[in-house]
Amino acid sequence: MNNKILVTGGAGYIGSHTCVALHQAGYDIVVYDNLSNSSYEAVNRVSALIGQPIEFIEGDIRNAGLLREVFDKHRFFGVIHFAGLKAVGESVARPLIYYDNNVSGTINLLNVMEEYSVSNLIFSSSATVYGDPETLPINETSPRSCTNPYGQSKLTVEHILGDLAVSNDKWNLITLRYFNPVGAHPSGQIGEDPNDIPNNLMPYISQVAAGKLTKLSIFGNDYSTVDGTGVRDFIHVTDLAQGHVAALSYLKKQSSPVGFLPVNLGTGKGTSVLELVSAFIETTKQSIPYKFAARREGDIASCYASADKAKKLFGWKAKLSITDMCQDTWRWQSMNPNGYKSISEYKI
Ligand code: NAD
Ligand code: WQD
């Protein structure tokens, strides 16, 4: 049985956690990442966690020549494709870079996969493709629309994958739409390591708790939600990682191709910004000074998944609670005050 998986973007936040889960599930992994938003230290730490070095290639998904070398060397069962850029604000300022990395990069990867007859792909999509949802919870048939280049790049790739599946029924193109990934590995060894000031809520909260940032601004307290603040479906990154393992197991069981298959990965539960802040304070006993500020442009009031399809097809369900998410985020933050620039005591 071929258990070898190419993990593009495997040095990143979700990719590193998924590498650990894949190894534990018996897969052989090869990580391909250009380290544009990650650090080689994450790869070291994953190696230490799994107790063996993982094969790492520093490379760009837009480099077809290098990808071919990797496909020449290894016979892959499939590709889990995390590589891409993900900052919404930056995508508005630098749209061409986003379309180039996320769309051209994915086309390049698909071309090489086709050349080497590798037809199994798990693609990192996002709840952002649902835009401002008309109804909640959001299921996979909800209308899709995007208002920023990042979201548009994900939606464009989804359309490309859909067209590819129609063109030839050999393809298995599972598109996982992640809701709001947070948390860190319970060991405290790997986690989210944003460059600069975080854009996302959980890393911002944890840096306020650590005293690196003085105050959290809560963007909007006049939404029509439980307490006026935005509501999101926060999902623990290790649950998300298990979702990829479950998707692969599902693929391995299929006797005929699945084509383009979009599946939400969320908990199915909405939590407000204030609820998350309170949970973090309660769990970690740290103080989080905050103030209410104007709504952030482009934000929506509420977003949470129907997680039924993942349960039905993959037998997967998120298990970890908001308390686990806060606890593990804080452990990672406390053990690595400067992210991967902190000295690790871990050795392979
Ligand atoms: P991340 O930035 O931590 O990881 C992405 C990795 O891809 C990084 O290691 C980066 O160096 C690498 N990369 C970027 N461009 C590349 C290229 N051209 N060639 C090779 N490697 C490249 O982000 P993440 O949070 O782990 O997200 C992983 C995927 O999931 C991304 O595609 C992202 O858009 C998607 N996603 C993330 C979230 C989230 O909130 N974190 C939500 C939904 C979807
Ligand atoms: C969550 C809530 C903010 C920061 C983004 C991307 C999405 C996906 C996940 C990749 C909102 C509020 C935030 C702060 C705040 N990424 N907030 N103060 O916007 O739901 O989703 O990450 O695919 O595409 O858009 O996540 O964590 O930024 O915000 O009040 O300092 O927290 O207004 O209500 P978001 P987020």
Side-chain angles (χ1 to χ4, degrees), residues 235 238-244 246-247 264-267 307-319:
I235 174 168
T238 60
D239 271 335
L240 198 64
Q242 288 302 336
H244 294 74
N264 289 342
L265 291 186
T267 64
D308 294 349
K309 191 171 176 185
K311 174 91 175 57
K312 187 163 166 247
L313 294 186
F314 305 160
W316 171 91
K317 189 173 177 300
K319 294 192 179 111

Side-chain angles (χ1 to χ4, degrees), residues 247-263:
L248 273 180
S249 309
Y250 170 79
L251 266 189
K252 290 207 159 224
K253 280 189 277 195
Q254 300 312 303
S255 47
S256 51
V258 303
F260 172 69
L261 182 66
V263 180

Side-chain angles (χ1 to χ4, degrees), residues 94-115:
R94 309 177 78 191
L96 292 180
I97 292 182
Y98 272 69
Y99 287 117
D100 192 33
N101 266 273
N102 296 3
V103 180
S104 307
T106 303
I107 293 173
N108 201 40
L109 173 67
L110 288 165
N111 273 322
V112 176
M113 288 175 66
E114 179 147 54
E115 272 175 51

Side-chain angles (χ1 to χ4, degrees), residues 9-36:
Y13 171 46
I14 305 171
S16 56
H17 290 81
T18 304
C19 284
V20 175
L22 288 169
H23 173 82
Q24 285 166 348
Y27 290 96
D28 279 344
I29 47 184
V30 175
V31 169
Y32 186 95
D33 196 305
N34 67 359
L35 301 180
S36 59

Side-chain angles (χ1 to χ4, degrees), residues 36-50:
S36 59
N37 194 40
S38 51
S39 144
Y40 185 69
E41 178 62 10
V43 180
N44 273 335
R45 302 243 189 135
V46 169
S47 298
L49 279 171
I50 68 176

Side-chain angles (χ1 to χ4, degrees), residues 20 62 94 97 110 125 128 139 145 155 166 191 218 244 246 254 277 296 321 341:
V20 175
R62 293 165 296 180
R94 309 177 78 191
I97 292 182
L110 288 165
S125 190
T128 198
N139 68 41
S145 72
L155 191 48
V166 169
I218 296 183
H244 294 74
Q254 300 312 303
V277 172
R296 185 171 66 179
S321 65
K341 287 182 210 79

